[in-house]
């Protein structure tokens, strides 16, 4: 008898930090505690782009936020990151 070919498809587990995807395809994720680089998988590696504070975000994102929240965006893949609930906002001035 001919042997049946078995194919095993590797399915990545869903990202627990993914909140939603905007209408233009941009992903919105929750930042991990003290996260500074993007962790979005691209092909066989992660993006690892720096997260930069973003001030001009669209109305879709404003609906997800409280007043005064910070939004970060990856400089390479443009994934948006909302603030972590456990982390203190970094909007104040430096204190020595």
């Amino acid at each position: 008898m001919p042997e049946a070919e078995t194919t095993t498809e590797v399915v990545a587990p869903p990202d627990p930090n993914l909140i939603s995807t905007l209408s233009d395809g941009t992903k919105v994720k929750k930042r991990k505690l003290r996260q500074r680089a993007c962790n979005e998988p691209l092909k066989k590696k992660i993006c690892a782009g720096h997260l930069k504070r973003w001030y001009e975000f669209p109305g879709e994102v404003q609906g997800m936020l409280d007043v005064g929240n910070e939004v970060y965006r990856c400089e390479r893949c443009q994934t948006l990151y909302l603030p972590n609930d456990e982390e203190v906002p970094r909007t104040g001035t430096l204190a020595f």
Side-chain angles (χ1 to χ4, degrees):
M1 272 203 278
E3 293 182 27
E5 292 184 30
T6 58
T7 58
T8 56
E9 186 175 321
V10 178
V11 177
D15 188 357
N17 294 325
L18 182 66
I19 296 174
S20 68
T21 303
L22 299 180
S23 60
D24 64 351
T26 304
K27 293 183 180 181
V28 180
K29 298 172 86 174
K30 179 75 77 172
R31 278 180 65 195
K32 293 181 181 180
L33 190 62
R34 306 297 287 173
Q35 181 179 0
R36 295 173 36 179
C38 180
N39 60 359
E40 183 65 25
L42 298 175
K43 296 186 182 176
K44 295 186 179 185
K45 299 190 286 186
I46 62 169
C47 174
H50 293 276
L51 300 183
K52 304 288 185 178
R53 180 83 183 268
W54 199 39
Y55 296 96
E56 300 172 6
F57 38 88
E60 279 184 273
V61 178
Q62 288 178 346
M64 298 178 193
L65 297 173
D66 295 331
V67 176
N69 273 349
E70 302 171 344
V71 176
Y72 291 87
R73 185 173 79 163
C74 174
E75 66 182 355
R76 295 176 83 194
C77 67
Q78 278 72 44
T79 299
L80 299 179
Y81 286 86
L82 299 182
N84 190 323
D85 298 331
E86 301 171 9
E87 194 168 354
V88 178
R90 300 181 192 180
T91 56
T93 58
L94 294 174
F96 293 98

